[in-house]
Amino acid sequence: MRHALILAAGKGTRMCSALAKVLHPLCGRPMAEWAVEAARQAGCTLSVVVGHQADAVREALPGCSFAVQDPPLGTGHAVQCALDVLPLEGIVLVLPGDAPLIRAETLEALLESHRGLCTVLTMSLERPGAYGRFIRSAEGSYIVEAAHASSEERAVKEVNSGIYAFDAAWLREQVMGLKPHAPKGEYYLTDVIEAASAAGGLSAVEHGDPDELMGVNDRVALASAEAVLRGRINRAWMARGVSMRDPDRTYVDVGVRLAQDVRLEPGVILSGHTVVEEGSIIGSGCVLHDSVVGAGTVLRPMVVAEGARIGGQCSVGPMARLREGTVLEPTVRVGNFVETKKAHLHSGVRAGHLSYLGDCEVGAGANIGAGTITCNYDGWGKHRTSIGEEAFIGSNTALVAPVSVGARSIVGAGSVVTEDVGDEDLAVGRGRQRNIEGGAPKLHARNRRRSGK
Amino acid sequence: MRHALILAAGKGTRMCSALAKVLHPLCGRPMAEWAVEAARQAGCTLSVVVGHQADAVREALPGCSFAVQDPPLGTGHAVQCALDVLPLEGIVLVLPGDAPLIRAETLEALLESHRGLCTVLTMSLERPGAYGRFIRSAEGSYIVEAAHASSEERAVKEVNSGIYAFDAAWLREQVMGLKPHAPKGEYYLTDVIEAASAAGGLSAVEHGDPDELMGVNDRVALASAEAVLRGRINRAWMARGVSMRDPDRTYVDVGVRLAQDVRLEPGVILSGHTVVEEGSIIGSGCVLHDSVVGAGTVLRPMVVAEGARIGGQCSVGPMARLREGTVLEPTVRVGNFVETKKAHLHSGVRAGHLSYLGDCEVGAGANIGAGTITCNYDGWGKHRTSIGEEAFIGSNTALVAPVSVGARSIVGAGSVVTEDVGDEDLAVGRGRQRNIEGGAPKLHARNRRRSGK
Amino acid sequence: MRHALILAAGKGTRMCSALAKVLHPLCGRPMAEWAVEAARQAGCTLSVVVGHQADAVREALPGCSFAVQDPPLGTGHAVQCALDVLPLEGIVLVLPGDAPLIRAETLEALLESHRGLCTVLTMSLERPGAYGRFIRSAEGSYIVEAAHASSEERAVKEVNSGIYAFDAAWLREQVMGLKPHAPKGEYYLTDVIEAASAAGGLSAVEHGDPDELMGVNDRVALASAEAVLRGRINRAWMARGVSMRDPDRTYVDVGVRLAQDVRLEPGVILSGHTVVEEGSIIGSGCVLHDSVVGAGTVLRPMVVAEGARIGGQCSVGPMARLREGTVLEPTVRVGNFVETKKAHLHSGVRAGHLSYLGDCEVGAGANIGAGTITCNYDGWGKHRTSIGEEAFIGSNTALVAPVSVGARSIVGAGSVVTEDVGDEDLAVGRGRQRNIEGGAPKLHARNRRRSGK
């Protein structure tokens, strides 16, 4: 039995945040979830020690058991608090909740090599600084805090990462026997490691990439961690045939799925459960959340989509916005300065310019003129507009919902449509043009006087 | 006579792409064109060996001769296939089509130093890995494959880059005599090099920058190559007086021309034959393709232009879109959420907000009110709108084309203009306002009931 | 008395610019101001030697004394020209105006350690190249130009940064006695340093970070300097609790103020006196200048604001533009493709789509329909629109200013409002809809014929 215990009770003072440190997002996941997922992939069941903002942390980490540590009295105390949720035997990994870069493979290697009572994951640092040194000696290994190390020990570069594998039964026993340390009455997990050393049961696995074991303590480290995770995600997609013109500036969250020959231009941000299918191009500055883009579709620059389903062979944007409930069937064209919301546009619809299509159904092949607006809100509720197949909606038209415009009908430019229009009917609702000969100079003169110019 | 043979027949399996590797774009050029251009600048005539997607590769590389290799049976076979297009004498460079970072200067140096039968361009790698080692010895130089190298040979860091200069006549002769290798019956160019070595005619030029000789085999390398090329292009423009606030995030394709004191803000993407003249500012996120920007013009953030000609001292955007056939004469102002297409705006025109100007001519000094729309499409064809000098088009106006609005005329706000307006005329085409005293609470009550609230 | 003399008279030929080098902006400040501010923070009074574009440099550096050097005859001459503005005693720092990365702490350390006649700020370079070497010897220290150095001296890596502390009285005396050098008749400050050395009064402080002392001579260095300053500014804000998903791609000028738990998405550009209050989110691509964002507000991607005041708990964008004089009271919602200018929107106002609100006051809780346009300009002057509390402006409405729409009134969709609307009145101003049965095919037939299809 493999089990991982994530320590996620701390506040993270150096984050200077109203939000608990382990909840800060990284590529679409709260920080603590990265360690949780790595342990899960390494075959572990999971428990999490919570404390600060316990409820929010619980909610952020589905599928884990939880133990509460309150007040926080050290890492040893954290494990004590978790005794109810820890297994009786097997191996227990102990991981900090603020080490989001740890990989499943690394945890697997630690689990595989674990023997005896405790195996420490170590790393070699050029400047080991304040880290506890891992000393390998003929008499047995041990860890010594930097503050208490001899100059010979201080020169050792192999240090403790704070990630451990324990024999579960032995850990339980040891943790119950921990003594508090003055002045704060804290219980240290390092005392357990000392006990393992004393019993000759301490070993270490050195990990080659210290960056992977980095803890995040402030927002500078948070941004660095995001950059590392971004690099991993992006390299994985590139290996599977996704082109990114500038991977450092392409932001793909962990829940996104991309197909071969997708092209992501600089500055693209994809989040949630966004999916982009084969051969589609996502233009620079596009921001997609929980949206699907069908194959062979082109999103021109600066399209914003949330909860939209875009079919294949569509063309959208630039500078369009598709809101929740938008469905574009294949071959739809949506142009610049167009907003859709709960709008179902059937194949071949064209809405090229400056329109708002909300709460509506637009039949196949309909043409929506520039400046068309569905007036879906009357101050109390939202109402639906229905536009038939092959209808032609003239420019600058207001469709006052609820209203229906029939198939193959025409609405004249500048109309306000308040009544249904039948199939093949022509509807016009606008004032009649009057030309007043020579009227312009007179009006200008009036306006000029009014302005005192 | 200097000739370069580019090997561009491969598929590039590790790209995971429906597109042949050598056709993937890099800063506005297909990958293979970079090697072609470097060789051309080094004074070479050019031929290209094509195979996978041969027609598309041919089309992408104008001005080259082509030879077809199908099926692909090794590098030696590639040269065999090219015998018809190779010169009878002089020097022949052989270059891979997937080494886009090679510079003309490097090829010139190789050509200049070439003596004897074959000169290999080599590089020194800290970790030479699987590369063939170039061995310089008293008895003569030779190349040994990593797999067949002695441990002493393996320790050599100078390796073969895969770029060669050959005596043309000798190469022709050798290639015709190549023998196939089991098991696939492939012909190796390295056999030719072995022959040069045996004849005492092999030498090498070591190139100091191995990164320049990098081959692109997957999309990670593709992105890295683009970053290198981007850096080169941007440093060259900065040296000529272009400011880039963040050159790593400024994307200037190879066909673009920039003048002194141009300022490019972060995230700008310039492609095609775009030209920006002296002192103009291109705001963050602007995307310009095949467009010209005159001197002293300001594009505010997020302007998208394709095939547009923008005069000097203009102001455009933010968030405007200028489509093909747009011509802005000097001092025009186009504001936010405005789209133009086949629109000729004469000097001093102002179109500040939320307009669509398509298929139109707008006379000097005209004022286009917010929400003006040229209704240029009737479902069958596009029609033109003509607006005279100093005309004043009121806001929210629809101009139903074909239509002409005269010089110095005024169109009242909210009008639908279907008939021509004469010079200095005043045109109004809208409903008359009626105020229904106390009507609002009643309508609200009705709407509320309808909503069931 | 501590005084700093900034040398800012040069043209900066390698910038290839019509603008004097020291005026090129870096993170919101002209280049020379960075050295000025560092010296000011180190407790210095300030004078600046100007020459090229003297007036513009003067204007850019308020609070300094100025001396004119014209024509430029070397660094010694520059100090000569400044004799009137230099103090009679105390310490004088001499700094180049093109070293924007120098920190106040570094200048303080130089001032603190200054003894004798002259203290040179030095740095150690792996490749000291053409820099003057600082030679420390038993007989006393001296500087030797690279060109005149013995091979032993050339091997020294400690070099002169061009930043000095002088005894003021002694410097004045020396500078007056400088002799010109052939062939250009220039006066060298290094002659003064030689005199200090000869008098045994020369010492040096070595600075550990040579990058900080970097001079900016071309636009590549300008961009590098901006990246360094950007990194400093961003790390400082992150340390105070600001989240930046991609700090390399987040552009925060030096005059901006940010609060805890602000989140800046990639590509954000904040300039001028912009302030963002606690917990607000600034979406990707937003560009804010001289604007204030209240606490808990969300700017969705690509909002452009200049001189706007946005209250707390507001939601703006994506793709909205708030121009000068915009005031959004708390809880206002402004949606996509909306522009505001001199617009005061009281709490709870919603303007969701495709509108232009200029020169207007909108009462609390009013609803502004999609496509609403204030027609504020009549060709001569701007006029105001006033909209009362809880008013409901239907979509596609033109409000022809000056006009007033009363509280709790309703304006029907598609109306042109030219006359005032009273409180609780219902106003409608649009043409009446006519449906022509079967009219569409006929109109299509006509249009088709017209198009010749």
Side-chain angles (χ1 to χ4, degrees):
Chain A
M1 161 128 204
R2 294 166 162 201
H3 187 86
L5 177 68
I6 312 288
L7 308 184
K11 179 173 186 303
T13 310
R14 288 169 56 199
M15 298 295 282
C16 299
S17 181
L19 187 70
K21 179 166 76 171
V22 295
L23 292 178
H24 278 259
L26 283 168
C27 294
R29 273 182 184 160
M31 189 193 299
E33 197 184 339
W34 285 94
V36 164
E37 284 303 321
R40 191 168 276 150
Q41 274 184 49
C44 297
T45 54
L46 276 145
S47 56
V48 181
V49 180
V50 295
H52 186 66
Q53 297 183 356
D55 289 345
V57 177
R58 265 196 198 96
E59 203 172 318
L61 300 173
C64 298
S65 303
F66 294 94
V68 178
Q69 181 193 24
D70 187 12
L73 294 172
T75 46
H77 178 241
V79 181
Q80 277 178 354
C81 295
L83 278 175
D84 283 357
V85 293
L86 288 180
L88 300 178
E89 49 188 27
I91 309 179
V92 169
L93 291 183
V94 176
L95 293 171
D98 64 358
L101 302 182
I102 188 85
R103 290 168 183 269
E105 302 87 294
T106 306
L107 297 180
E108 276 166 20
L110 175 61
L111 285 161
E112 289 309 320
S113 69
H114 173 67
R115 302 284 181 279
L117 306 175
C118 174
T119 306
V120 182
L121 191 64
T122 62
M123 54 190 176
S124 278
L125 298 179
E126 267 316 293
R127 300 182 195 172
Y131 280 87
R133 309 299 199 267
F134 191 87
I135 312 294
R136 298 166 180 272
S137 82
E139 297 87 56
S141 301
Y142 61 98
I143 289 179
V144 59
E145 295 308 304
H148 305 137
S150 68
S151 66
E152 215 167 294
E153 289 167 336
R154 282 185 70 88
V156 169
K157 291 182 175 171
E158 185 176 5
V159 302
N160 177 13
S161 71
I163 298 172
Y164 313 98
F166 289 103
D167 177 90
W170 181 81
L171 174 67
R172 299 180 66 88
E173 189 184 297
Q174 290 297 315
V175 155
M176 285 190 279
L178 278 175
K179 299 275 181 296
H181 285 254
K184 297 191 188 159
E186 293 187 328
Y187 300 81
Y188 297 158
L189 197 55
T190 45
D191 286 357
V192 176
I193 292 157
E194 212 170 297
S197 170
L202 182 66
S203 57
V205 180
E206 187 180 332
H207 186 60
D209 177 11
D211 288 347
E212 189 185 315
L213 310 181
M214 182 181 90
V216 171
N217 290 310
D218 58 31
R219 307 234 192 187
V220 172
L222 185 74
S224 299
E226 174 123 0
V228 171
L229 294 170
R230 184 158 65 240
R232 281 188 199 163
I233 291 170
N234 287 355
R235 282 192 302 274
W237 288 121
M238 286 191 279
R240 293 163 80 167
V242 172
S243 269
M244 299 185 183
R245 200 203 283 208
D246 189 355
D248 291 347
R249 285 110 223 171
T250 306
Y251 309 88
V252 179
D253 275 0
V254 70
V256 171
R257 293 292 165 260
L258 305 173
Q260 181 177 308
D261 279 324
V262 163
R263 182 168 176 85
L264 305 182
E265 291 289 327
V268 163
I269 300 180
L270 307 181
S271 62
H273 292 95
T274 293
V275 174
V276 185
E277 292 175 4
E278 193 164 335
S280 287
I281 297 172
I282 312 296
S284 61
C286 285
V287 179
L288 311 188
H289 181 70
D290 280 343
S291 294
V292 175
V293 179
T297 281
V298 176
L299 303 198
R300 295 173 193 283
M302 299 173 257
V303 171
V304 176
E306 305 117 352
R309 293 188 48 196
I310 305 167
Q313 306 296 332
C314 288
S315 164
V316 181
M319 297 179 273
R321 187 194 187 189
L322 309 180
R323 290 166 59 196
E324 75 280 3
T326 292
V327 178
L328 307 187
E329 299 290 346
T331 74
V332 166
R333 305 182 62 164
V334 169
N336 35 220
F337 318 127
V338 174
E339 172 189 0
T340 62
K341 188 211 76 173
K342 291 187 187 162
H344 189 161
L345 277 55
H346 289 267
S347 12
V349 168
R350 299 200 285 180
H353 340 248
L354 290 157
S355 294
Y356 170 51
L357 299 174
D359 301 293
C360 63
E361 182 109 17
V362 183
N367 186 87
I368 307 297
T372 297
I373 288 175
T374 53
C375 311
N376 59 330
Y377 182 56
D378 62 7
W380 297 92
K382 301 286 170 108
H383 304 284
R384 294 192 60 81
T385 298
S386 166
I387 297 174
E389 279 183 24
E390 305 285 339
F392 183 91
I393 309 296
S395 299
N396 233 5
T397 290
L399 302 164
V400 184
V403 74
S404 162
V405 176
R408 292 170 304 285
S409 65
I410 295 179
V411 175
S415 296
V416 179
V417 176
T418 54
E419 291 161 34
D420 289 354
V421 178
D423 290 357
E424 310 208 344
D425 286 0
L426 166 64
V428 183
R430 62 193 183 201
R432 199 185 190 119
Q433 180 180 345
R434 291 172 304 131
N435 286 358
I436 298 141
E437 233 172 273
K442 288 174 196 159
L443 181 53
H444 271 310
R446 196 203 73 178
N447 289 341
R448 185 180 184 174
R449 276 195 305 276
R450 188 166 71 170
S451 298
K453 285 183 184 171
Chain B
M1 162 131 204
R2 295 167 163 199
H3 187 86
L5 178 68
I6 312 288
L7 308 183
K11 179 173 187 303
T13 310
R14 287 169 56 198
M15 297 296 282
C16 300
S17 181
L19 187 70
K21 179 167 76 171
V22 297
L23 292 178
H24 279 258
L26 283 169
C27 294
R29 274 182 183 161
M31 191 193 297
E33 197 185 339
W34 284 94
V36 165
E37 284 302 320
R40 191 168 276 150
Q41 272 184 51
C44 296
T45 53
L46 277 145
S47 56
V48 181
V49 180
V50 296
H52 186 66
Q53 297 182 359
D55 289 345
V57 177
R58 265 195 198 96
E59 203 173 319
L61 300 174
C64 298
S65 304
F66 294 94
V68 178
Q69 180 192 25
D70 186 13
L73 293 172
T75 46
H77 178 241
V79 181
Q80 278 178 354
C81 296
L83 278 175
D84 283 356
V85 294
L86 287 180
L88 300 178
E89 48 189 28
I91 310 178
V92 169
L93 291 183
V94 176
L95 294 170
D98 64 356
L101 301 182
I102 188 87
R103 290 168 184 267
E105 301 88 292
T106 305
L107 297 180
E108 276 166 20
L110 175 60
L111 285 161
E112 289 308 319
S113 70
H114 173 67
R115 302 282 180 280
L117 305 175
C118 173
T119 306
V120 182
L121 191 65
T122 62
M123 55 190 174
S124 278
L125 298 179
E126 269 315 294
R127 300 182 195 172
Y131 280 87
R133 308 300 198 270
F134 190 87
I135 311 294
R136 298 168 181 269
S137 83
E139 297 86 57
S141 300
Y142 60 97
I143 289 180
V144 60
E145 295 308 303
H148 306 137
S150 68
S151 67
E152 216 167 292
E153 288 167 337
R154 284 185 68 86
V156 169
K157 292 182 174 169
E158 186 176 5
V159 302
N160 177 12
S161 71
I163 298 172
Y164 313 99
F166 289 103
D167 176 89
W170 180 83
L171 175 66
R172 299 181 66 89
E173 188 185 298
Q174 291 297 315
V175 156
M176 285 190 280
L178 279 175
K179 301 272 181 296
H181 286 255
K184 298 189 191 162
E186 293 186 328
Y187 300 82
Y188 297 158
L189 197 55
T190 44
D191 286 357
V192 177
I193 291 157
E194 213 170 298
S197 170
L202 181 66
S203 58
V205 181
E206 185 180 332
H207 186 61
D209 177 11
D211 288 346
E212 189 185 314
L213 310 181
M214 182 182 90
V216 170
N217 290 311
D218 58 30
R219 309 234 192 189
V220 173
L222 185 75
S224 299
E226 174 123 359
V228 170
L229 294 170
R230 184 159 64 240
R232 281 188 200 165
I233 291 170
N234 287 355
R235 281 192 303 273
W237 288 121
M238 286 191 278
R240 292 164 79 167
V242 172
S243 269
M244 299 185 182
R245 201 202 286 207
D246 189 354
D248 291 347
R249 286 113 221 172
T250 306
Y251 309 88
V252 179
D253 276 0
V254 72
V256 171
R257 293 293 166 258
L258 305 174
Q260 181 177 306
D261 280 324
V262 162
R263 182 169 176 85
L264 304 182
E265 291 288 326
V268 163
I269 301 180
L270 306 181
S271 62
H273 293 95
T274 293
V275 174
V276 185
E277 293 175 4
E278 192 164 334
S280 287
I281 298 171
I282 312 297
S284 61
C286 285
V287 179
L288 311 187
H289 181 70
D290 280 346
S291 295
V292 175
V293 179
T297 280
V298 176
L299 302 197
R300 295 173 192 284
M302 298 173 256
V303 170
V304 176
E306 304 118 353
R309 293 187 48 195
I310 305 167
Q313 306 295 333
C314 287
S315 164
V316 181
M319 296 179 274
R321 187 194 188 191
L322 310 180
R323 290 167 59 195
E324 74 280 3
T326 293
V327 178
L328 307 187
E329 300 289 347
T331 73
V332 165
R333 305 182 63 164
V334 169
N336 35 222
F337 319 127
V338 173
E339 172 190 1
T340 62
K341 189 212 75 173
K342 292 189 187 162
H344 189 161
L345 278 54
H346 289 266
S347 13
V349 167
R350 299 199 284 181
H353 341 247
L354 290 158
S355 294
Y356 171 51
L357 299 174
D359 300 294
C360 64
E361 181 109 16
V362 182
N367 186 89
I368 307 296
T372 298
I373 287 174
T374 53
C375 312
N376 58 331
Y377 183 57
D378 63 6
W380 296 92
K382 300 285 169 110
H383 304 284
R384 295 193 59 79
T385 299
S386 166
I387 297 173
E389 281 183 23
E390 305 285 339
F392 183 92
I393 309 296
S395 299
N396 234 6
T397 289
L399 302 164
V400 183
V403 75
S404 162
V405 177
R408 292 170 304 285
S409 65
I410 296 178
V411 175
S415 295
V416 179
V417 176
T418 54
E419 293 160 32
D420 289 352
V421 178
D423 291 356
E424 310 208 346
D425 286 0
L426 166 65
V428 183
R430 63 192 183 204
R432 200 186 189 116
Q433 180 180 345
R434 289 173 304 130
N435 285 358
I436 297 141
E437 233 173 274
K442 288 173 196 159
L443 181 53
H444 271 310
R446 196 205 72 178
N447 289 340
R448 184 179 183 174
R449 275 195 307 276
R450 188 167 70 169
S451 298
K453 284 183 186 171
Chain C
M1 163 129 203
R2 296 167 163 200
H3 187 86
L5 178 68
I6 313 288
L7 307 183
K11 179 172 187 304
T13 310
R14 288 169 56 198
M15 298 294 284
C16 300
S17 181
L19 187 69
K21 179 167 77 171
V22 296
L23 292 178
H24 278 259
L26 283 168
C27 294
R29 272 182 185 160
M31 189 194 296
E33 197 184 341
W34 285 93
V36 165
E37 283 302 321
R40 191 169 274 152
Q41 274 184 51
C44 296
T45 53
L46 277 145
S47 55
V48 181
V49 181
V50 296
H52 187 66
Q53 297 183 356
D55 289 345
V57 177
R58 265 195 198 96
E59 204 173 317
L61 300 173
C64 299
S65 304
F66 294 94
V68 177
Q69 182 193 22
D70 185 15
L73 294 171
T75 46
H77 178 241
V79 180
Q80 277 178 355
C81 295
L83 278 175
D84 283 356
V85 294
L86 288 180
L88 301 178
E89 49 188 27
I91 310 178
V92 169
L93 291 182
V94 176
L95 293 170
D98 64 356
L101 301 182
I102 186 87
R103 290 169 184 268
E105 302 88 292
T106 306
L107 297 180
E108 276 165 20
L110 175 60
L111 285 162
E112 289 308 321
S113 70
H114 172 67
R115 301 284 180 277
L117 305 175
C118 173
T119 307
V120 182
L121 191 65
T122 62
M123 54 191 177
S124 279
L125 298 179
E126 268 316 295
R127 300 181 195 173
Y131 280 87
R133 309 300 199 268
F134 191 88
I135 312 294
R136 298 167 181 270
S137 83
E139 298 85 58
S141 300
Y142 61 97
I143 289 179
V144 60
E145 296 308 303
H148 305 138
S150 67
S151 67
E152 214 167 294
E153 288 167 338
R154 284 185 69 88
V156 169
K157 292 182 172 165
E158 186 176 4
V159 301
N160 177 12
S161 71
I163 298 172
Y164 313 98
F166 289 103
D167 177 88
W170 181 82
L171 175 66
R172 299 180 66 88
E173 191 184 298
Q174 291 296 316
V175 156
M176 284 189 280
L178 279 174
K179 301 272 181 294
H181 286 255
K184 297 191 191 159
E186 293 188 328
Y187 300 82
Y188 297 159
L189 198 55
T190 44
D191 286 358
V192 177
I193 292 157
E194 213 171 297
S197 170
L202 181 67
S203 57
V205 180
E206 186 180 331
H207 186 60
D209 177 12
D211 289 345
E212 189 185 315
L213 310 181
M214 181 182 92
V216 171
N217 289 312
D218 58 29
R219 307 233 193 191
V220 173
L222 186 75
S224 300
E226 174 123 359
V228 171
L229 294 170
R230 184 160 63 241
R232 281 188 200 163
I233 291 170
N234 287 355
R235 283 192 301 274
W237 287 121
M238 286 191 279
R240 293 163 79 169
V242 171
S243 269
M244 298 184 183
R245 201 203 283 206
D246 188 354
D248 289 348
R249 247 209 106 189
T250 305
Y251 309 88
V252 179
D253 276 359
V254 70
V256 171
R257 294 291 166 259
L258 304 173
Q260 180 176 306
D261 279 324
V262 162
R263 183 169 176 83
L264 305 181
E265 291 289 325
V268 164
I269 300 180
L270 307 181
S271 62
H273 292 94
T274 293
V275 174
V276 186
E277 293 175 3
E278 192 164 336
S280 286
I281 298 172
I282 311 297
S284 61
C286 285
V287 179
L288 312 188
H289 181 70
D290 281 343
S291 295
V292 175
V293 179
T297 280
V298 177
L299 303 198
R300 295 174 193 283
M302 298 174 258
V303 171
V304 176
E306 305 118 353
R309 293 186 49 195
I310 304 167
Q313 307 294 332
C314 288
S315 164
V316 181
M319 297 179 273
R321 188 195 188 191
L322 310 181
R323 290 167 60 197
E324 74 280 2
T326 293
V327 178
L328 306 187
E329 300 289 346
T331 74
V332 165
R333 304 183 64 165
V334 169
N336 36 220
F337 317 127
V338 174
E339 172 190 1
T340 62
K341 190 212 73 172
K342 290 187 188 162
H344 189 161
L345 277 54
H346 289 266
S347 12
V349 167
R350 301 200 283 181
H353 341 248
L354 291 158
S355 295
Y356 171 51
L357 300 174
D359 300 293
C360 64
E361 180 109 16
V362 182
N367 187 89
I368 307 296
T372 298
I373 287 175
T374 53
C375 312
N376 58 330
Y377 182 57
D378 61 8
W380 296 93
K382 300 286 170 110
H383 303 285
R384 296 193 60 79
T385 299
S386 166
I387 297 173
E389 281 183 23
E390 305 285 340
F392 184 93
I393 310 296
S395 299
N396 234 6
T397 290
L399 303 163
V400 183
V403 74
S404 163
V405 176
R408 291 170 306 284
S409 66
I410 296 178
V411 175
S415 296
V416 179
V417 175
T418 54
E419 293 160 33
D420 288 353
V421 178
D423 291 355
E424 310 207 345
D425 286 0
L426 166 64
V428 184
R430 63 193 183 201
R432 200 188 188 115
Q433 179 180 345
R434 289 172 304 131
N435 285 358
I436 298 142
E437 234 172 275
K442 289 174 196 161
L443 182 53
H444 271 310
R446 196 205 73 176
N447 290 340
R448 186 180 182 173
R449 275 195 307 277
R450 187 167 70 170
S451 298
K453 285 183 185 172

